[in-house]
Amino acid sequence: MPDTALASATTASNTSLRAYLHGLPGVDEVGARARAADLSTRSIKTTAKAEAIDLAIRMVDLTTLEGADTAGKVRALAGKAKHPDPADPSVPRVAAVCVYSDLVAVAVEALAGSGVGVASVATAFPSGRAPLEAKLIDTRRAVADGAGEIDMVIDRGAFLSGDYVKVHDEIVAVKEACGSAHLKVILETGELVTYDNVRRASWLAMHAGADFIKTSTGKVAPAATLPVTLIMLEAVRDFRAATGRQIGVKPAGGIRTTKDAIKNLVLVNETAGSDWLDPAWFRLGASSLLNDLLMQRTKLTTGTYSGPDYYTLD
C-alpha cells in the first residue's frame, strides 16, 4: 500500500481512513491457521537447534510487570539479564529488561554498561484507558529516566468503534514524546476480535510511526498465537516492500517453552525472511521462557538436564 494513501486518509476523516484500512486485503483465516500449523511442525537439527536457542535467548525481553514489583526484584532481574546462567559465561545476554516507568531508573543503573536495553511500558498499561496527556507524561518520564524503548498500548475501544484517527494520532504523539527511544505499539490482539482487525491495526500502527508492533500485554488471553504472529509478520514484510521502512515484531504472552520459541523463529524466517532474525527486529516477550531455553541449552551441551530448580524464578 502506498504511504501517501494513508497520509491523505489520516488528514481527512475517519471515513477516508476506514476506507483505506478496510481496503487492505482480507485475511484468509483458515489459510493463516493452516500455514502457521504447517510451519510449527518443521524439525530443527541439533546444530541448528543450538544456534536457534542462543538466538532466542538474545531476543528475550525479560519482564516484570506486577503491582508488587520492587527495586530489589528489578535488580535481580537485571542480574539475570546480564548473566542468564552464572555458571556458563558462554550463554548470551538477553535483549532488554522491561519494567514499569517508575522503576526505569533502577533498571538503567543496574544494567549500565551491559549492553542490555531498558524498556518501559507506558500509556496506562495494560488497559490504555487514560487521557492522552497522562500517557505522554508517563512516556516522557520513562525516557528521561533512561528507557531506550517504550511499549505503548493502543486504545482498543477507539479502534473497535472505528475511531481510527484517534488511535493514529495518539501513536504519533507518543512517538514524538519518545524522542530517540524506540516505540513498540501493543495491539492487544486478543481483544481485536478478527484477524482482519489485526492486519488493520498493524498497518495503522506502522504508518503512525511504530518501530515495533507487539501482539499483547500478556494480561489478556489469547495472546501471542502463531496465526496472529504470522499476520503481523506478513504486515511488516509488505510494509517494507511498499515503503522501504523495516518494522520489528514482538509476540508476547504464552510463549513458555523452547519449542514455542523455535516455532516463532521458523515463522519469522519463512514469512518475513532472515532480515528479521535479529533482536533488532524480533523480540520474544516472555520471562518464564528463559529458564526452559537454558535447560534445553544445557541438555544439548552436556547431555543431561540441569532441572528447573537450578535456575532462578522470575
Side-chain angles (χ1 to χ4, degrees):
M1 291 291 172
D3 197 49
T4 54
L6 193 283
S8 174
T10 56
T11 56
S13 66
N14 271 310
T15 300
S16 54
L17 184 49
R18 178 183 176 83
Y20 173 86
L21 293 174
H22 286 252
L24 293 169
V27 177
D28 177 355
E29 295 194 15
V30 174
R33 292 193 186 100
R35 175 67 171 160
D38 176 63
L39 291 175
S40 72
T41 63
R42 298 284 177 87
S43 61
I44 303 294
K45 303 304 180 184
T46 302
T47 302
K49 184 176 181 180
E51 294 174 354
I53 287 173
D54 276 7
L55 178 58
I57 291 171
R58 293 194 294 113
M59 289 175 166
V60 167
D61 280 353
L62 205 52
T63 303
T64 182
L65 298 170
E66 303 298 334
D69 285 345
T70 63
K73 183 177 181 180
V74 170
R75 292 189 187 99
L77 203 65
K80 184 167 185 176
K82 293 184 289 186
H83 306 290
D85 183 354
D88 185 354
S90 71
V91 177
R93 61 181 181 242
V94 305
V97 168
C98 185
V99 297
Y100 278 114
S101 58
D102 61 317
L103 289 167
V104 165
V106 176
V108 168
E109 181 181 11
L111 292 167
S114 68
V116 177
V118 175
S120 175
V121 294
T123 67
F125 178 94
S127 70
R129 307 239 49 92
L132 177 58
E133 293 79 7
K135 296 178 181 182
L136 296 179
I137 289 170
D138 196 21
T139 300
R140 291 183 186 120
R141 170 182 175 161
V143 173
D145 284 348
E149 302 172 6
I150 295 295
D151 289 26
M152 76 165 286
V153 285
I154 66 167
D155 184 333
R156 282 88 73 193
F159 182 89
L160 291 171
S161 65
D163 195 351
Y164 299 132
V165 168
K166 180 181 180 183
V167 177
H168 174 274
D169 289 353
E170 285 202 349
I171 296 171
V172 170
V174 173
K175 174 63 177 175
E176 183 178 356
C178 284
S180 61
H182 283 185
L183 175 63
K184 301 196 202 83
V185 176
I186 306 170
L187 308 181
E188 198 66 288
T189 54
E191 293 184 341
L192 294 186
V193 185
T194 69
Y195 288 167
D196 282 335
N197 275 342
V198 172
R199 176 168 286 173
R200 292 165 189 150
S202 296
W203 278 83
L204 182 60
M206 291 187 294
H207 276 292
D211 297 297
F212 262 75
I213 50 175
K214 178 178 171 181
T215 61
S216 326
T217 61
K219 306 294 186 182
V220 172
T225 67
L226 286 175
V228 160
T229 304
L230 170 69
I231 291 163
M232 293 169 66
L233 286 166
E234 290 176 340
V236 297
R237 177 200 65 199
D238 296 344
F239 185 81
R240 187 177 73 170
T243 68
R245 189 159 67 92
Q246 187 165 337
I247 308 296
V249 175
K250 178 180 174 180
I255 304 171
R256 296 184 176 88
T257 68
T258 299
K259 286 183 179 179
D260 292 336
I262 291 176
K263 287 177 183 179
N264 274 275
L265 296 183
V266 171
L267 200 66
V268 172
N269 189 61
E270 297 297 323
T271 307
S274 59
D275 286 353
W276 273 267
L277 284 175
D278 187 286
W281 303 110
F282 193 76
R283 298 284 182 83
L284 295 165
S287 291
S288 59
L289 167 66
L290 181 57
N291 279 358
D292 193 71
L293 288 167
L294 294 173
M295 285 190 289
Q296 294 297 331
R297 190 180 193 276
T298 300
K299 174 64 165 58
L300 286 177
T301 303
T302 67
T304 59
Y305 283 108
S306 54
D309 293 340
Y310 180 83
Y311 303 104
T312 58
L313 297 174
D314 304 318

